Amino acid sequence: REPHVYLSKEEVKEKIQSYNSSVTDKLKMTLNANGIYTGFIKVQMELCRPITVQSSQSQGRCAHSNNETAFYLPDGCVNTLHISSTNTVREVIEALLKKFFVADNPAKFALYKRCHKEDQVYTCKLSDRERPLYLRLVAGPRTEMLSFVLREHETGEVMWEAFSIPELQNFLRILDKEENDQLQILKNRYADYRGKLEEALRGVLKPG
């Protein structure tokens, strides 16, 4: 992790001016008289597991139907949030879930920063106390230099106690379906191999 560099009010003002002069999408930052600044961040949603929403708000590929519905967000979905320099990572995650009408516990998710350095891409999970808008200001507006990604916690870090029983049952149904699909693919592959081998054997053993 890179150490934080605390900026004075004058340094913040200069950085915001430099930031706004480089913005190409009109998503500029604004410095208030109290020293707090506001601006926009874009967060890419990279969720592997389905999210749970209220049935009245659900759309997409459904996996469960009850008082709540689970569905998969489209790959590469990007959301823009207007936040302040005081907003923490945890608050940003909560705002994202609220914007998508997600009923899941925010503790299931983590915010990552993705940086490009020397032709390499680095992804680092942010702590709940870090402030994304500060990171955006320091890095500048170019998303190839810094971007934000929302993901589930890694499998070993999942707080399973944060899931409800219907959610856990729904995940089991999805896993069963995926297992059956993969099993059928393997059966078809080996049936194809067997057919080719039997055809080759018939050619070798054919009298002649």
Side-chain angles (χ1 to χ4, degrees):
R1 292 182 179 275
E2 297 178 359
H4 269 286
V5 178
Y6 293 96
L7 305 175
S8 66
K9 186 174 180 179
E10 188 60 35
E11 289 173 325
V12 168
K13 182 179 179 180
E14 292 176 359
K15 279 195 169 292
I16 289 177
Q17 290 174 343
S18 175
Y19 183 97
N20 289 342
S21 65
S22 303
V23 166
T24 58
D25 54 11
K26 298 183 180 180
L27 300 180
K28 296 185 177 183
M29 293 195 187
T30 302
L31 178 62
N32 300 315
N34 58 5
I36 296 174
Y37 51 96
T38 59
F40 298 85
I41 62 169
K42 294 181 179 180
V43 181
Q44 183 169 348
M45 315 291 276
E46 293 185 354
L47 303 180
C48 299
R49 296 188 288 270
I51 58 173
T52 305
V53 298
Q54 298 298 323
S55 296
S56 59
Q57 301 290 349
S58 64
Q59 58 181 344
R61 183 157 59 92
C62 297
H64 174 59
S65 179
N66 199 349
N67 293 331
E68 295 177 338
T69 303
F71 74 99
Y72 291 89
L73 278 178
D75 292 336
C77 179
V78 177
N79 206 307
T80 301
L81 285 179
H82 185 252
I83 62 174
S84 80
S85 55
T86 63
N87 289 132
T88 62
V89 164
R90 180 52 47 190
E91 291 170 333
V92 167
I93 293 174
E94 291 172 354
L96 275 171
L97 300 183
K98 183 178 179 181
K99 195 168 184 179
F100 277 96
F101 304 101
V102 178
D104 295 271
N105 191 321
K108 302 174 188 177
F109 304 92
L111 191 67
Y112 292 75
K113 67 176 180 179
R114 182 178 290 155
C115 307
H116 295 248
K117 293 182 180 179
E118 300 176 356
D119 298 326
Q120 298 291 326
V121 180
Y122 301 90
T123 302
C124 174
K125 186 172 74 172
L126 299 173
S127 72
D128 288 347
R129 298 185 301 275
E130 291 192 77
R131 290 172 168 76
L133 194 61
Y134 170 83
L135 299 176
R136 179 79 278 160
L137 175 64
V138 172
R142 295 172 56 191
T143 54
E144 62 267 27
M145 297 300 296
L146 171 72
S147 59
F148 296 104
V149 180
L150 183 72
R151 295 177 178 172
E152 299 96 344
H153 281 293
E154 298 296 335
T155 303
E157 302 173 345
V158 175
M159 299 176 62
W160 293 110
E161 64 274 13
F163 290 81
S164 66
I165 291 178
E167 286 177 315
L168 294 172
Q169 291 173 337
N170 184 50
F171 290 152
L172 287 175
R173 281 193 291 270
I174 293 173
L175 288 175
D176 287 340
K177 182 180 183 305
E178 291 179 350
E179 181 181 6
N180 290 333
D181 290 344
Q182 291 299 318
L183 184 59
Q184 189 60 47
I185 291 173
L186 286 174
K187 286 182 177 179
N188 292 340
R189 182 183 302 169
Y190 281 101
D192 184 52
Y193 289 160
R194 185 179 293 107
K196 291 179 179 178
L197 285 171
E198 290 174 350
E199 182 179 351
L201 283 171
R202 285 194 297 269
V204 171
L205 298 176
K206 184 177 180 181

